[in-house]
Amino acid sequence: GSVVASYPYDDSPTHKPTGVYSKSADDEVFRYLAKAYASNHPIMRTGKPNCPGEEGETFQDGITNGAQWYDVEGGMQDYNYVWANCFEITLELSCCKYPPTSELQQEWENNRDSLLAFIEKV
C-alpha cells in the first residue's frame, strides 16, 4: 500500500518494472482527476506517504502514472479505460492494506474532502 492517486496507463509497451511514463490519450483528464483527489487529502497532497519500508518513496503532487510507479500488465484500470471507456483512477489510501478499526475514523476524515472534490469533478 501507499497513499497516492494513480492513473492510466498501468502497463507500458516495454514492460519495464518501473520508471516508464505510459501516457494515455486522456492523460490531462486523468492527471486533473487524480490531483482533485490528492490535493484535498492531508497526507496524499504532500507526496510523502512515509510508509514503513518505503520511507523514501515520493510522488509529485501525490499522484503518479501507474507504469511510472510500477508496471502492471492486464490490470482492470487499463482494461476498463480501453475496452469500456471508463475513466478510472486507483486510489491507494493507506500504507496498511487492512487498517485497524481504531484508525478507520481518521481514514474517513483524511478522505472525506477528497471524495467530495472527486465527486464534484465527475
Side-chain angles (χ1 to χ4, degrees), residues 46-66:
T46 70
K48 299 175 185 172
N50 200 29
C51 292
E54 299 289 339
E55 290 85 0
E57 187 170 61
T58 61
F59 304 98
Q60 185 175 349
D61 299 321
I63 68 173
T64 189
N65 172 262

Side-chain angles (χ1 to χ4, degrees), residues 6-85:
S6 173
Y7 55 91
Y9 287 116
D10 284 336
D11 195 5
S12 69
T14 63
H15 304 297
K16 286 178 68 175
T18 186
V20 177
Y21 195 102
S22 190
K23 186 176 180 178
S24 73
D26 297 294
D27 191 69
E28 288 182 41
V29 174
F30 283 119
R31 291 178 56 82
Y32 175 75
L33 293 172
K35 280 186 181 181
Y37 196 96
S39 66
N40 287 283
H41 190 286
I43 298 167
M44 198 178 291
R45 72 174 164 232
T46 70
K48 299 175 185 172
N50 200 29
C51 292
E54 299 289 339
E55 290 85 0
E57 187 170 61
T58 61
F59 304 98
Q60 185 175 349
D61 299 321
I63 68 173
T64 189
N65 172 262
Q68 178 79 34
W69 186 21
Y70 65 91
D71 194 273
V72 175
E73 188 175 350
M76 286 302 297
Q77 178 173 258
D78 291 358
Y79 178 87
N80 287 335
Y81 173 56
V82 171
W83 297 106
N85 201 30

